[in-house]
Amino acid sequence: MTELDYILQNFDERFRRFKGRRIALYPGEYLDAITRRFDSDYHFYRVLEPEASEAPKDAELVILTDRRREGEPDYNAIRESCEKQGTPLFDILGVDMIETRRELIEQEHVTIPQWKEMLAEYDVVSLSMTNVAADYIATKGRWVLRRRFLILYHWLKSQGKTVLFLWENKEQIDSLIREGIAVEGSALEGVDSGPFFLQLLESYPGKRIIHIGRDVLRDGIIPREYGFDSRLLRYFVFQFKVSTAADDADYHVDRNQLLEAIDQHDVISFDVFDTLIKRTVLNPNDVFEMVEEQTGVSGFAEARSHIQKVSPRLTLDEMYDWLKENCKYDDQTIETLRRTELQTETDVIFPRRSMTEVFEHAKSRNKTIALVSDMYLDPAFMRDLLEKNGITGYQTLIISNEFRVFKHEGLFEELRELRKNGESVLHVGDNYFSDYMSAQKFGLDAFYVPSGLETAKKNGYAEIFERNLNLTERKILGLGVAFGFDDPFAPNDDLRIANMIVAPLVVGYLLWAIGELKGKGYDYFLFSSRDGWMPQDVYDRLQRRFPEELPPSKYFYLNRRAALLTVMDNFKLLNYFFTLPFKNDPPRQLRQLFRIPEEKLLPYGGESSKDYYFMHEQTIREEAEQYRENYRNYLAREGLQGKKCAIMDFVSEGNAQMMLDKNIIKMDGYYVGLPNHVSKYDENIRYFLDNDLMSFDTLMKIEGYFTSPEPSLDYVGDGGTIVLAEEVRSRKVMDRIQKIHEYARQYFDAFFDRLYRDGRSVETMDKELFFNLCASINLYDVDNFYYDDMIKQAMPTGT
């Protein structure tokens, strides 16, 4: 059966209820066939012109007679006009395009257990490969299967379900084959998904079928045309592709080329903001919001931004005269606002190290150096700001508000006056129009050096900056850009990982955590080894600032292995551990997992793990009680017995905490992330990123950067002494972790010393933003530092 046969066969059944109403057909490849077959019964009242983009206002129903895609302007225009007019819009197979689309895009996140419950009733599960089963990872140059998909796939197969794949790229099939998944007869090309679903309909008559995908039309609406259920994977995916198109040649800055250009010119001019110095906020207007935040003067940011936009040639004093007159601020308020703005401007400014080195190169060559800026700040303040950031030794400072003209309007004429006897001038700046094109327009040579923000956009972060961000989020991102993308000349993956991923994640988590901790009467906030080592240092800064509101911290030695020893006599809790790689070697299992001494092991005669375990039940009970006593001694030594405690962990389902809950200490957990293969086991654990806002594989890559410089905990010994395991990480890995920590500390210093003012009120942050930042780890070819403490087996660490 062809698609047209299927459409004609079903058209009357699906539209019969609309006979007699005024129906408009939007033209497409099936228009002629529909009108030939059904016009005598339906008397279609009007056919739209092909170029028409809006539904006629007198239509009672609009039917699309062609496949339309979400990104096509004509389809979007038709849908939007129908929604506005209240006109029903259907596709040619009878699916309500407006209501179905709304239902699909409003679907909530579904956890792995919820997926399993939902899919249990279906016979056939069809999956789109793109961004559902697999993601394209640019750094690896291939499609990689998602962990979430693999969990679902193996469960579906264990339930006897038929699983089919809708693929668009042959390399997606290769990713299935690499995982040992049989694809013959299961993987169908889906460039045009209509025939794919028609094939499903004919191949599985009478079966309950559901399709899972991400595209509203292809994966959500079209399956329903054939009578199938559909579900969108509401799971935000970072766009892994890095934008470095061939026509972006100006982005690829060659440092040596710039230095050579400086050597060949007599006068060197530098732009100031985003070239020699940088703000640690995402947008310049964020300074105005910070002033309003600090002073409490409501409406200041909007008014200040307004006058800046409509009268940019005014000096700062003139702008404040306008604010006084139009906003009715008194003299004291004006003085407070002005002083706070200048102090805030000072606080958010850092030197752009990569470019101050270039500036120093020009000085070392005895060049005449000028600084040229389109700026409202007065010269004296600018000179002081530059000096504080180590920029001295230039001959002149040319600012637009002194001359009432911008660079593109003629400010460069002032620069030309510096030339003597035909000397050559080179201007260096970050704005392609104002600094590069305009300088050339006025007869100067120019060199374009993109700002940190532009560099970040061209390295895969553009989509993040388009989100609707609040001030706290813009501070976090702006600082990451300023420090992570300082250097436009060469990539530095560790610098970017530290400033765009690790440090923002720590800050985001802790700002969330302190909001959760306040008012709950905790005696201590415990930071579990080893993931809590770096966050504890940052938290202590906050706790010292707000000691009355936040509990003190302690570094707490805990991991699954040590906690397991305290409950190893509770067989019901051990199912997970009997699935570890040495499950077929019960003596090794008892030695390595439970630390049962060799001399206490009975001869092994081929018994199962369970039987061999119960042969040692008395020994295991005695050893478990000893480890419980050891842990209690550790708590007593740390002053934690009888205390109300919260605990931080990175990515965990809470097994270690749950084990200590049984016999040692009850705590409330505040974790960074919940693995996306589990559901929450206990209501006393909360997560910054839950299992629908994280990728286990992604956060495992990041977790290694949180780890402490000491080895993992092995067990708690006699008297509560801490016994560490043998270090398995290489010197190379440790050096890299240390470097990441050093970069992150610079971020923390800047954020909490200059940007973060008030610990009593924290804006609600978009957790999906932080997931997106975490996902950007996949932009980099990184080592996986993850080490499983349970089996003492280092994971591959790459080159």
Side-chain angles (χ1 to χ4, degrees):
M1 179 188 300
T2 66
E3 186 176 46
L4 178 58
D5 292 335
Y6 181 76
I7 290 170
L8 295 175
Q9 175 180 302
N10 290 277
F11 185 90
D12 189 53
E13 177 185 342
R14 300 187 181 190
F15 288 101
R16 188 178 301 148
R17 68 186 186 278
F18 294 107
K19 280 187 178 179
R21 299 177 68 177
R22 288 179 293 182
I23 300 175
L25 299 184
Y26 194 92
E29 63 177 304
Y30 299 125
L31 174 63
D32 292 340
I34 292 295
T35 53
R36 280 197 305 268
R37 175 72 69 87
F38 298 106
D39 191 48
S40 58
D41 291 331
Y42 284 80
H43 305 294
F44 299 116
Y45 121 88
R46 182 178 175 182
V47 176
L48 303 180
E49 294 297 326
E51 63 273 12
S53 60
E54 292 193 0
K57 290 182 170 51
D58 52 354
E60 296 180 75
L61 172 69
V62 174
I63 299 175
L64 302 180
T65 63
D66 200 356
R67 292 271 181 232
R68 299 285 163 183
R69 293 292 180 266
E70 193 81 2
E72 295 181 8
D74 56 352
Y75 162 71
N76 287 333
I78 297 165
R79 175 178 55 77
E80 289 169 4
S81 68
C82 284
E83 285 185 288
K84 184 177 180 180
Q85 295 170 199
T87 306
L89 174 68
F90 282 74
D91 67 15
I92 202 165
L93 285 165
V95 175
D96 186 327
M97 301 288 279
I98 294 175
E99 291 303 318
T100 304
R101 179 181 181 277
R102 182 178 295 118
E103 183 258 308
L104 287 165
I105 65 175
E106 291 178 357
Q107 288 176 342
E108 296 181 350
H109 292 286
V110 178
T111 65
I112 291 288
Q114 290 171 330
W115 273 115
K116 292 178 179 179
E117 181 180 355
M118 180 194 314
L119 299 177
E121 61 184 279
Y122 293 96
D123 306 302
V124 179
V125 178
S126 166
L127 294 150
S128 280
M129 287 292 297
T130 304
N131 293 338
V132 173
D135 293 312
Y136 184 76
I137 310 299
T139 56
K140 295 186 178 183
R142 66 183 187 183
W143 288 87
V144 177
L145 293 183
R146 285 185 168 189
R147 180 182 177 87
R148 166 179 289 219
F149 155 73
L150 289 172
I151 294 167
L152 276 179
Y153 173 78
H154 291 302
W155 179 84
L156 288 168
K157 297 303 290 185
S158 73
Q159 302 298 305
K161 310 292 185 183
T162 299
V163 182
L164 303 172
F165 307 107
L166 176 63
W167 59 273
E168 299 175 11
N169 185 301
K170 178 62 170 59
E171 292 178 358
Q172 294 174 339
I173 304 305
D174 295 338
S175 68
L176 294 171
I177 295 172
R178 284 196 299 270
E179 289 290 336
I181 295 175
V183 297
E184 188 172 352
S186 300
L188 306 173
E189 186 171 9
V191 176
D192 187 351
S193 50
F196 170 83
F197 294 115
L198 185 58
Q199 186 174 348
L200 256 63
L201 184 68
E202 294 176 331
S203 300
Y204 300 97
K207 299 291 186 181
R208 287 214 62 186
I209 302 174
I210 185 172
H211 179 70
I212 302 169
R214 286 193 51 81
D215 184 85
V216 174
L217 273 155
R218 186 194 67 184
D219 298 313
I221 291 176
I222 294 178
R224 300 191 182 194
E225 296 176 342
Y226 295 89
F228 307 149
D229 289 335
S230 63
R231 177 87 197 190
L232 298 188
L233 188 66
R234 308 307 298 165
Y235 179 65
F236 189 77
V237 180
F238 188 87
Q239 299 302 310
F240 293 110
K241 296 179 180 177
V242 179
S243 173
T244 51
D247 58 358
D248 267 335
D250 290 319
Y251 159 70
H252 300 286
V253 182
D254 187 315
R255 186 176 187 274
N256 290 331
Q257 192 176 52
L258 173 56
L259 297 180
E260 290 173 5
I262 289 173
D263 292 344
Q264 294 167 6
H265 289 77
D266 305 300
V267 178
I268 310 300
S269 164
F270 290 95
D271 172 57
V272 178
F273 285 87
D274 294 322
T275 300
L276 291 179
I277 58 177
K278 60 196 178 187
R279 291 185 176 98
T280 56
V281 288
L282 203 58
N283 306 311
N285 285 359
D286 291 342
V287 170
F288 309 148
E289 287 200 38
M290 291 176 66
V291 173
E292 180 172 326
E293 178 186 57
Q294 293 172 46
T295 62
V297 178
S298 179
F300 168 77
E302 182 178 358
R304 180 67 180 82
S305 298
H306 171 75
I307 187 59
Q308 182 72 48
K309 181 178 180 180
V310 299
S311 300
R313 293 176 181 80
L314 297 181
T315 65
L316 186 66
D317 287 340
E318 290 169 337
M319 290 182 182
Y320 271 91
D321 289 341
W322 183 92
L323 289 171
K324 181 179 179 180
E325 180 179 349
N326 290 273
C327 299
K328 309 304 179 185
Y329 296 142
D330 58 33
D331 290 343
Q332 183 176 354
T333 301
I334 285 291
E335 177 56 30
T336 298
L337 289 169
R338 189 182 187 282
R339 183 177 65 252
T340 305
E341 178 178 340
L342 293 176
Q343 183 58 55
T344 303
E345 194 76 72
T346 301
D347 288 344
V348 301
I349 292 296
F350 281 80
R352 192 177 184 190
R353 297 297 182 192
S354 61
M355 288 303 297
T356 56
E357 291 173 0
V358 172
F359 175 84
E360 292 298 325
H361 174 85
K363 283 172 56 177
S364 71
R365 296 299 192 269
N366 296 317
K367 304 296 180 180
T368 299
I369 299 177
L371 306 185
V372 182
S373 181
D374 287 339
M375 179 47 58
Y376 50 85
L377 297 171
D378 66 71
F381 179 81
M382 286 280 288
R383 291 188 182 93
D384 184 57
L385 193 64
L386 289 163
E387 183 176 354
K388 287 179 179 178
N389 286 277
I391 300 170
T392 60
Y394 52 89
Q395 278 68 49
T396 187
L397 175 63
I398 302 172
I399 302 179
S400 60
N401 69 18
E402 279 194 290
F403 298 92
R404 306 289 177 165
V405 65
F406 291 125
K407 294 172 187 172
H408 70 278
E409 298 171 329
L411 190 62
F412 281 124
E413 290 286 0
E414 301 300 323
L415 183 60
R416 292 173 61 176
E417 296 298 318
L418 295 178
R419 292 187 299 184
K420 300 173 183 177
N421 303 319
E423 290 180 327
S424 59
V425 180
L426 173 70
H427 179 69
V428 181
D430 73 284
N431 188 296
Y432 191 79
F433 171 70
S434 298
D435 291 310
Y436 184 70
M437 298 296 293
S438 296
Q440 292 181 325
K441 171 185 171 183
F442 285 92
L444 308 177
D445 291 334
F447 201 101
Y448 170 58
V449 179
S451 67
L453 183 60
E454 284 303 308
T455 306
K457 287 179 179 179
K458 292 179 183 297
N459 278 275
Y461 289 90
E463 187 171 320
I464 292 178
F465 304 132
E466 295 171 0
R467 301 179 69 84
N468 185 22
L469 305 167
N470 63 38
L471 179 59
T472 300
E473 292 162 351
R474 295 198 301 277
K475 290 177 184 178
I476 290 171
L477 281 178
L479 186 57
V481 168
F483 284 6
F485 288 92
D486 175 278
D487 191 348
F489 305 118
N492 185 331
D493 287 356
D494 288 340
L495 189 67
R496 294 172 182 179
I497 289 168
N499 288 286
M500 292 302 296
I501 304 171
V502 175
L505 181 58
V506 171
V507 170
Y509 163 75
L510 286 176
L511 293 184
W512 168 80
I514 62 176
E516 297 288 326
L517 294 173
K518 287 180 180 179
K520 294 182 180 176
Y522 292 114
D523 295 305
Y524 291 102
F525 187 24
L526 308 181
F527 287 80
S528 63
S529 60
R530 292 177 293 177
D531 299 340
W533 186 78
M534 180 171 57
Q536 183 193 17
D537 179 59
V538 183
Y539 174 83
D540 285 346
R541 298 171 184 237
L542 294 169
Q543 198 277 333
R544 287 192 294 269
R545 189 181 294 185
F546 310 110
E548 301 301 319
E549 301 178 39
L550 298 175
S553 74
K554 279 186 179 292
Y555 189 67
F556 188 69
Y557 283 95
L558 174 66
N559 62 8
R560 288 176 300 168
R561 173 177 173 75
L564 171 69
L565 297 174
T566 70
V567 294
M568 61 181 171
D569 55 344
N570 187 334
F571 188 77
K572 292 180 180 179
L573 296 177
L574 304 180
N575 290 334
Y576 164 76
F577 302 102
F578 282 112
T579 65
L580 290 172
F582 38 70
K583 62 183 178 181
N584 295 323
D585 187 352
R588 181 187 172 200
Q589 205 163 34
L590 265 61
R591 284 195 311 271
Q592 192 158 322
L593 274 185
F594 303 149
R595 297 189 55 81
I596 304 299
E598 184 75 37
E599 63 271 16
K600 293 186 179 183
L601 291 179
L602 298 173
Y604 178 58
E607 294 86 359
S608 68
S609 291
K610 179 179 179 181
D611 290 341
Y612 194 68
Y613 171 90
F614 282 110
M615 288 168 59
H616 296 79
E617 188 171 8
Q618 181 60 32
T619 298
I620 289 172
R621 186 176 298 114
E622 293 171 357
E623 294 290 322
E625 181 53 42
Q626 182 59 55
Y627 282 112
R628 287 194 282 269
E629 183 62 21
N630 292 346
Y631 236 120
R632 293 186 188 109
N633 288 333
Y634 169 61
L635 293 179
R637 196 181 70 191
E638 294 295 321
L640 296 174
Q641 283 187 325
K643 300 299 184 181
K644 183 178 180 181
C645 297
I647 188 167
M648 172 269 172
D649 205 347
F650 193 74
V651 180
S652 175
E653 58 194 283
N655 280 328
Q657 180 183 334
M658 176 184 68
M659 293 173 198
L660 290 196
D661 277 353
K662 297 294 180 184
N663 306 291
I664 310 299
I665 182 174
K666 293 189 179 296
M667 300 174 286
D668 293 334
Y670 296 93
Y671 295 177
V672 175
L674 170 69
N676 60 5
H677 62 280
V678 298
S679 58
K680 301 171 187 177
Y681 89 89
D682 200 333
E683 63 181 10
N684 68 330
I685 294 182
R686 300 199 61 187
Y687 299 88
F688 179 53
L689 301 178
D690 65 23
N691 57 359
D692 283 304
L693 283 176
M694 65 162 288
S695 159
F696 187 79
D697 179 65
T698 290
L699 286 190
M700 283 302 97
K701 294 176 182 176
I702 300 171
E703 184 176 26
Y705 297 114
F706 277 68
T707 190
S708 73
E710 66 182 14
S712 175
L713 172 65
D714 196 2
Y715 62 94
V716 179
D718 294 342
T721 58
I722 297 302
V723 181
L724 301 179
E726 179 185 355
E727 182 61 82
V728 298
R729 296 168 296 182
S730 69
R731 185 69 258 167
K732 174 187 173 184
V733 166
M734 295 303 297
D735 288 345
R736 188 173 186 190
I737 292 173
Q738 182 179 0
K739 184 164 63 171
I740 292 287
H741 286 181
E742 290 172 357
Y743 290 147
R745 286 191 191 96
Q746 295 172 8
Y747 181 106
F748 300 140
D749 288 342
F751 187 85
F752 290 108
D753 292 345
R754 301 202 192 186
L755 300 180
Y756 185 73
R757 300 294 185 185
D758 187 356
R760 289 170 289 280
S761 60
V762 177
E763 293 178 278
T764 300
M765 289 178 292
D766 182 0
K767 294 183 180 181
E768 200 164 81
L769 166 67
F770 290 91
F771 162 74
N772 203 3
L773 289 174
C774 289
S776 67
I777 194 71
N778 295 292
L779 290 170
Y780 307 100
D781 187 12
V782 299
D783 295 340
N784 188 343
F785 297 149
Y786 178 56
Y787 169 72
D788 191 331
D789 297 313
M790 294 310 304
I791 60 176
K792 288 194 173 182
Q793 193 172 63
M795 303 297 283
T797 57
T799 57

